[in-house]
Amino acid sequence: QVQLVESGGGLVQPGGSLTLSCAVSRSIFRINTISWYRQAPGKERELVALIIAVGEANYADSVKGRFTISTDYAKDTVYLQMNSLKPEDTGVYYCNAKIGDFSSWGRGTQVTVSS
């Protein structure tokens, strides 16, 4: 079992930036994939970015060039740097960790992009 705690959400104007953090309760060296998802009101949860054990990152087309996922192995923390934010980026952002067949979720952090 892996516990995940997201933080860093908030209200930001269009064009602004935020950095989300996901604190992981165990060494992220042992985690196969860590991902960020988001869920907008009335919509399904969607994958935003993921990073696999070897460090390769993948992004949804809607965030490519604007978002960056990264890891701090010393702190067992995963970050999502979000730049050039748009109103459509609004939603609850969740961290997910997969180890084999097991998948764990955090409780999410709200991001609101509005003027």
Side-chain angles (χ1 to χ4, degrees):
Q1 189 78 7
V2 179
Q3 280 74 50
L4 307 167
V5 179
E6 303 94 336
S7 61
L11 173 64
V12 63
Q13 292 187 343
S17 299
L18 278 176
T19 300
L20 306 183
S21 299
C22 172
V24 184
S25 65
R26 63 181 297 176
S27 173
I28 57 178
F29 278 113
R30 299 182 178 273
I31 297 177
N32 301 127
T33 305
I34 298 181
S35 308
W36 285 97
Y37 286 75
R38 68 185 178 195
Q39 188 165 19
K43 295 188 177 181
E44 293 187 356
R45 194 172 296 187
E46 63 174 350
L47 177 66
V48 174
L50 66 86
I51 191 162
I52 61 176
V54 296
E56 179 182 344
N58 289 288
Y59 300 91
D61 288 342
S62 60
V63 307
K64 278 182 183 176
R66 299 189 297 122
F67 290 12
T68 303
I69 187 171
S70 63
T71 54
D72 185 331
Y73 291 100
K75 296 182 178 179
D76 291 325
T77 300
V78 181
Y79 302 97
L80 185 68
Q81 173 68 44
M82 306 186 294
N83 298 324
S84 302
L85 283 162
K86 305 175 181 180
E88 51 263 43
D89 295 318
T90 294
V92 179
Y93 283 69
Y94 298 92
C95 188
N96 173 269
K98 290 184 174 65
I99 304 175
D101 295 331
F102 295 96
S103 180
S104 299
W105 292 92
R107 293 188 174 186
T109 184
Q110 175 71 44
V111 172
T112 303
V113 184
S114 175
S115 55

